[in-house]
Amino acid sequence: MFMRKLLKKVVAGVIAASVMAVSVFTSPADAYAASAGRVPSGISRIGKGTINIYSWDDAMRQQIDMFKEKYPQYANQINYVSLGVSGIGDDYHSILDNSVRNGGSSAPDIICWDADDLGYGMSKSYTVPLSKIGFDARWYNNAYDYTKVLGKKNGKLTAVASFVCPGAYAYKRTAAKKAFGTDYSVTVQSKVKNWGTFMSSAKTAKKKGVKMLSSVDDTRQAFLFSSTTALSKNGSMQFPSNIATQYNVSKALKAGNYTNNTMQWAIEWAKDMNGSKVLGYFAPSWMLQTMSINGANLKNYALVEGPADYYWGGTFMTATSKCHNKGLAQLFLYTLTCNKDFQYKYAVSTVTVPNNKTATAKIINAKIGARKFGTANDPYKVYDKVARKIKGRPTTKYDMKVADGIAAGLYSLEQGQVSTYKGFRLVIRKEVQRTTPLY
């Protein structure tokens, strides 16, 4: 849990530093409302009430300010409440639950949820389908499909995201040349296109003095967030669809000494981002920025899709049952999550990936990705390919607890405390049973 909280601090710090929907508006021009202050005709009447947008930290501030700049007539009706707590802990849950329960003018209208914790938010009775505030799901058609899967509650769109965090395999070109005789991205992708080839390549790389990863734990998110299985159902914990492969790959990485034997987020792990001892890292866009902060020369890095189509991180927004101003809440969520021009502008300024396929295509066509990220090839091209293929999985209330249980199982494996698949699964289940009512 400590490492999870540390990760979230890193992610929050970095992030802080639709064509189909047109048909529901009177015209394509209305659909994106390019001019400041112009409200799309599909939005309900906007009243005088203030909407309160709750988040755990200040990472949403730039999008809030951009919205106010675009719609200055509503600037004084947007109240952003940054709580200054962890976004994945009991403190955040308690504050939100109490704020909704107490009601009044300061109660939340829109709540931000870390992708890891979305299941908790979706489980609350005060979280309602967005149709309840008049948000048309067709507006969100241009979003990447996996965010629609994560954002549905009982089949209805309930949570939306403005940006996405698809992951890739970021490799060092110097290490690739040493390991495979070339740094050509097509060739490197052929070496890591699935977990079987990934492990075969790990053996090849080791012979040339190159470790495939810094830590065995580096594969954890690629497995967890490419799984399609809900992590709990009818009161019972469910293992991810790829848990057996995860066990076998993790065990083989350790047994073959194919990593540099560090721990994810440790100082030694960060140091491996430089030099040519370690080939690469599983990295969404914010990780590339983290690597740069840690001194990595990103010009020496290129990206490929890797062995798994996964996401890692992100922020979703939901609406509450007692929204003070449904029209304004509609406009806010529409602008941040469906307006391709707004999303393009935000993504380019923050070097993130917009949750809008048209906006991402615009960035790719502008050929600015490599310059923005500082990498050898364009990460946007890779992230777009991955994001289009991620299937997603239904969110459940205890997703974080099950994820922590899997982390405990992997730790036991890495420490040599378990040596069988059965033992590995038992550690996970016991940890989940210890922290949840799941059986």
Side-chain angles (χ1 to χ4, degrees), residues 1 6 103 225 390:
M1 189 66 178
L6 176 60
F225 299 120
I390 299 171

Side-chain angles (χ1 to χ4, degrees), residues 156-405:
K156 297 181 179 180
L157 185 66
T158 305
V160 287
S162 62
F163 64 93
V164 289
C165 299
Y169 183 64
Y171 67 93
K172 296 175 196 157
R173 298 160 65 198
T174 51
K177 288 179 180 178
K178 186 177 178 181
F180 309 131
T182 180
D183 66 343
Y184 182 43
S185 61
V186 174
T187 301
V188 175
Q189 172 60 17
S190 73
K191 302 288 186 181
V192 297
K193 63 183 179 181
N194 55 50
W195 291 112
T197 57
F198 188 92
M199 295 309 301
S200 295
S201 297
K203 184 180 296 185
T204 300
K206 181 185 174 183
K207 292 178 180 178
K208 299 297 180 66
V210 177
K211 300 300 179 70
M212 209 67 177
L213 298 166
S214 179
S215 169
V216 172
D217 201 37
D218 282 345
T219 65
R220 178 161 54 91
Q221 289 82 10
F223 276 107
L224 179 60
F225 299 120
S226 62
S227 170
T228 58
T229 306
L231 299 183
S232 65
K233 186 176 182 180
N234 299 327
S236 175
M237 176 207 141
Q238 295 194 135
F239 286 98
S241 54
N242 53 12
I243 192 70
T245 304
Q246 183 173 15
Y247 169 80
N248 290 327
V249 167
S250 300
K251 185 175 182 179
L253 284 170
K254 177 178 172 60
N257 196 27
Y258 298 139
T259 77
N260 215 24
N261 296 313
T262 67
M263 292 294 293
Q264 197 177 56
W265 305 111
I267 294 175
E268 295 77 14
W269 176 84
K271 287 181 178 180
D272 281 343
M273 293 175 180
N274 294 286
S276 58
K277 186 182 295 185
V278 169
L279 181 62
Y281 290 79
F282 287 98
S285 60
W286 59 260
M287 176 65 88
L288 292 180
Q289 297 182 50
T290 301
M291 292 162 70
S292 180
I293 292 170
N294 284 326
N297 176 16
L298 293 186
K299 290 182 179 180
N300 187 35
Y301 278 88
L303 278 73
V304 292
E305 296 164 62
D309 302 317
Y310 71 101
Y311 67 94
W312 182 5
T315 299
F316 284 76
M317 292 172 284
T318 60
T320 63
S321 55
K322 297 182 179 180
C323 183
H324 297 99
N325 191 333
K326 295 181 180 180
L328 186 54
Q330 278 179 45
L331 179 62
F332 179 82
L333 292 176
Y334 168 80
T335 303
L336 268 65
T337 69
C338 308
N339 185 314
K340 64 175 175 51
D341 298 319
F342 185 97
Q343 290 173 278
Y344 171 88
K345 181 179 179 180
Y346 176 72
V348 169
S349 66
T350 56
V351 199
T352 51
V353 182
N355 186 23
N356 188 305
K357 288 173 281 190
T358 300
T360 305
K362 183 177 178 180
I363 297 174
I364 293 172
N365 291 336
K367 300 180 179 180
I368 59 176
R371 175 170 58 82
K372 282 287 184 179
F373 279 99
T375 49
N377 62 349
D378 185 354
Y380 282 106
K381 289 184 178 181
V382 180
Y383 289 139
D384 179 61
K385 287 181 181 179
V386 173
R388 289 172 182 270
K389 294 190 294 181
I390 299 171
K391 293 182 173 60
R393 56 174 164 78
T395 58
T396 66
K397 182 177 181 178
Y398 299 108
D399 283 352
M400 280 203 307
K401 298 297 185 182
V402 177
D404 288 340

